[in-house]
Structures are given as structure tokens and as C-alpha cells.
Amino acid sequence: MANSEYEYVKREFELDSLLPPSNWIVVRIDGCHFHRFSKIHTFEKPNDERALRLMNACATSMLEKFPDIVFAYGVSDEYSFVFREETEFYQRRESKILSLCVSYFTSVYVMKWKDFFPNKELKEPPYFDGRVVCYPNLKTIHDYLAWRQVDCHINNQYNTCFWSLVKSGKTEKEAQQALKGTFSKDKNELLSQQFQINYDDEPAIFRKGSCVYRDKVETMVKTDRCGNPIKRTRLVITNANVDIIGPEFWENHPYILR
Ligand code: ATP
Ligand code: ATP
Ligand code: MG
Ligand code: MG
Ligand code: MG
Ligand code: MG
């Protein structure tokens, strides 16, 4: 490519911000104005499961497209993507990584919309914002994921109460007022006493959010001459609605973050 006299605008002005080495990279995307978007598309409240499954399908496509994403966690209109610590994806260029994640996720969301809402026209373009944060070690990445799941719990418990009150005839303002200053225990009591809802029986996809990762799955490829199965372990992209705050999940899946 010939060098023109204008080349300096790239050479001298384009700055590539490189993310620091030996850090886990998290890209978190979040739907823009999804309060409105969910209203326009008449999402069920507090949780439209189809919309959550659409988000999960987009996250699965992300892991298929970008092998360096080792784990994803999503709730509501947000998803966090964890890149492996030593990734050299786009030489760790921040703007490349962030823009690719946001645009690919958004495109897949639009493409897959009709699979989850076959009778609902997409009335306005969904769009997402995104940010990149680096975490220097395993403890901070675990704490990051725990932070998001605690947030999921707090919001979902609140929203479950709020929408139960609204559906029972209260105005949104009255519902908000009724929940002001309540603790977690009070909300569980309200749900069980007024609405016969045991919060722990609510679907895990609502209470726990969604994880997407590559799981080790043993498959039988064939049998040997004596008829004994020959097994092979494959990594299969998996979706699970499980606790990631305690150590159990990570002890059972030590190969995900390492
Ligand atoms: P911002 O642009 O600042 O992110 P927002 O309106 O998207 O604004 P959030 O805090 O991101 O606000 O909250 C997302 C909103 O989207 C929630 O208020 C919730 O009502 C709605 N929402 C997202 N996913 C679902 C879903 N699966 N079912 C029902 N409502 C949903
Ligand atoms: P990268 O991912 O690095 O950007 P790329 O394949 O997109 O790779 P570009 O340098 O951005 O490479 O070039 C864009 C390419 O897309 C061109 O090579 C051209 O062949 C094709 N292209 C883009 N727009 C058009 C168009 N309107 N008509 C025909 N070809 C197009
Ligand atoms: Mg490190
Ligand atoms: Mg949002
Ligand atoms: Mg959000
Ligand atoms: Mg191009």
C-alpha cells in the first residue's frame, strides 16, 4: 500500500489502547433503554423467559464465535463475557475487543429475535452499550461474578414482590411505597403470606441468572473389539442457572477459569 501524505493522521493520531497483560478481561454489555424496549415489546413482568432465552442464545453464539471467551454470565438485559487471562485476541486492543463484542451480540440478537418471538414484530432496533474491565487475578474475577449474581438476586426478589403487588391491584407507586425499607426476609414473608409464593421455588433462570461455558462431556465414540465403549471427552457449550457465588460450581469445573 502506497504511503500518502495523509498517512500521518493514522500514525500520529490513532491511539491503540492495549489492555494490560496477565489480567482477566471482562466485557459487560447492557441493553440501552430496555425498560422502554421491554414495554414496547410487551415483555412479561417481572421476567419474560423468552427474552432471557434470547439473551442466552446470543451469549452461546458469542462463545462459538470467540474461542477466548471462557465464561459468560447474564441477567436481565446484561451479559458479562470473561476472556481468558492470557488472551492475545486482537493483541488485547481494547477498542477492537469491545466493539466486536457489542456489535456481534447486537446482530445476533436481531437475527434470532424471530426464533424466540415468532409472533412479535421487532418494532425498534435493540442496541447495547459495553465496557471493558480488567481483573488482575482469580479472586477478583470470582468476586466480580459474585457481585453480578448478588445483584441478580436483589433485583429479582424486589421485582417479584413489586409485580405481585401491581398484579394484585396496587399502583406502581403504592407497590414501590410498600417495599420501601424492607429487608430480604420481609420480602420473602410478603411473597409467602400475601401471594403464596415460596421465593425459592421461582425458576432458577430468574433467581440465579444464566451461565454459559464449555463443559466437559463424555461421549461414546465407538466400541472396541471386545465391545467395551471407547469414550472421548469433548467440550460442549453449556447453559446453566446455578450458584456461582459459593465454591461448589468452581470446584466441579476447575477447567473453566485457569
Ligand atoms: P439503561 O439504558 O441505562 O441500561 P435500562 O432501561 O436498560 O436503561 P436497566 O437498569 O438496564 O435499564 O434495566 C433493564 C430493564 O429492562 C429492566 O427494568 C427490566 O424492566 C427490563 N427487562 C430486561 N430484560 C427483561 C426480561 N427478560 N423480562 C422483563 N423485563 C426485562
Ligand atoms: P477486517 O476484518 O480486517 O476489516 P475486511 O475483509 O473487512 O477485514 P477491509 O479492509 O475492511 O477488510 O475491506 C473491506 C472489504 O469488503 C473489501 O475488500 C471489499 O472487498 C469488501 N466490500 C465492502 N464493501 C463493499 C461493497 N460495497 N461492494 C463490494 N465489496 C465491498
Ligand atoms: Mg494475573
Ligand atoms: Mg439496560
Ligand atoms: Mg441492565
Ligand atoms: Mg473491514
Side-chain angles (χ1 to χ4, degrees):
M1 198 77 63
N3 272 338
S4 78
E5 64 179 294
Y6 306 116
E7 203 84 3
Y8 81 99
V9 296
K10 179 175 176 65
R11 198 176 55 241
E12 292 180 26
F13 289 86
E14 261 193 34
L15 299 173
D16 260 331
S17 165
L18 298 185
L19 296 165
S22 302
N23 272 254
W24 300 86
I25 297 169
V26 174
V27 174
R28 183 170 74 253
I29 60 144
D30 184 283
C32 292
H33 307 300
F34 260 49
H35 185 68
R36 179 189 140 87
F37 183 86
S38 64
K39 259 196 186 144
I40 289 176
H41 296 94
T42 57
F43 283 10
E44 284 162 26
K45 290 293 178 179
N47 293 293
D48 192 309
E49 195 170 330
R50 297 162 300 179
L52 295 175
R53 296 204 178 282
L54 171 55
M55 292 289 289
N56 293 347
C58 295
T60 298
S61 295
M62 291 284 285
L63 267 79
E64 284 164 0
K65 181 76 180 167
F66 306 120
D68 281 11
I69 298 176
V70 292
F71 191 79
Y73 176 73
V75 45
S76 180
D77 66 340
E78 72 166 63
Y79 240 103
S80 298
F81 297 97
V82 181
F83 284 77
R84 63 187 185 85
E85 193 177 17
E86 304 302 340
T87 182
E88 280 303 325
F89 189 50
Y90 280 91
Q91 304 89 51
R92 303 176 78 94
R93 287 158 69 187
E94 179 174 9
S95 61
K96 281 278 185 189
I97 292 173
L98 180 58
S99 60
L100 286 167
C101 285
V102 176
S103 80
Y104 194 74
F105 190 96
T106 307
S107 293
V108 176
Y109 192 97
V110 173
M111 282 192 73
K112 289 190 183 288
W113 172 268
K114 60 179 181 318
D115 298 346
F116 293 86
F117 294 103
N119 302 314
K120 243 183 244 253
E121 183 203 354
L122 195 48
K123 291 192 178 136
E124 58 176 48
Y127 62 120
F128 292 82
D129 66 26
R131 70 197 69 195
V132 181
V133 185
C134 287
Y135 291 98
N137 51 45
L138 213 46
K139 159 136 175 65
T140 48
I141 197 73
H142 279 303
D143 287 352
Y144 170 82
L145 293 168
W147 172 56
R148 295 324 302 144
Q149 194 166 52
V150 167
D151 208 56
C152 168
H153 168 72
I154 292 169
N155 289 332
N156 188 59
Q157 198 186 32
Y158 181 92
N159 291 337
T160 306
C161 291
F162 179 87
W163 287 102
S164 297
L165 290 165
V166 170
K167 285 172 185 172
S168 77
K170 284 208 179 348
T171 65
E172 297 198 4
K173 209 175 185 133
E174 287 166 347
Q176 201 184 342
Q177 205 57 37
L179 292 171
K180 212 171 165 180
T182 57
F183 294 108
S184 175
K185 186 166 70 66
D186 308 324
K187 292 192 189 72
N188 275 346
E189 269 168 26
L190 180 143
L191 286 173
S192 72
Q193 282 165 18
Q194 285 193 43
F195 303 107
Q196 292 73 53
I197 293 172
N198 180 359
Y199 183 74
D200 291 339
D201 292 341
E202 288 288 290
I205 187 174
F206 302 162
R207 288 184 295 113
K208 301 287 180 201
S210 298
C211 304
V212 183
Y213 52 92
R214 293 180 192 81
D215 208 357
K216 280 188 179 166
V217 174
E218 261 199 357
T219 46
M220 201 185 77
V221 276
K222 54 184 175 188
T223 49
D224 67 14
R225 254 178 270 162
C226 310
N228 300 318
I230 298 176
K231 287 180 186 161
R232 201 177 55 190
T233 307
R234 287 190 308 135
L235 289 171
V236 178
I237 297 176
T238 305
N239 186 307
N241 312 109
V242 293
D243 182 275
I244 51 169
I245 298 170
E248 196 182 325
F249 174 81
W250 301 109
E251 283 166 5
N252 291 332
H253 301 82
Y255 43 86
I256 296 178
L257 299 180
R258 61 183 169 88

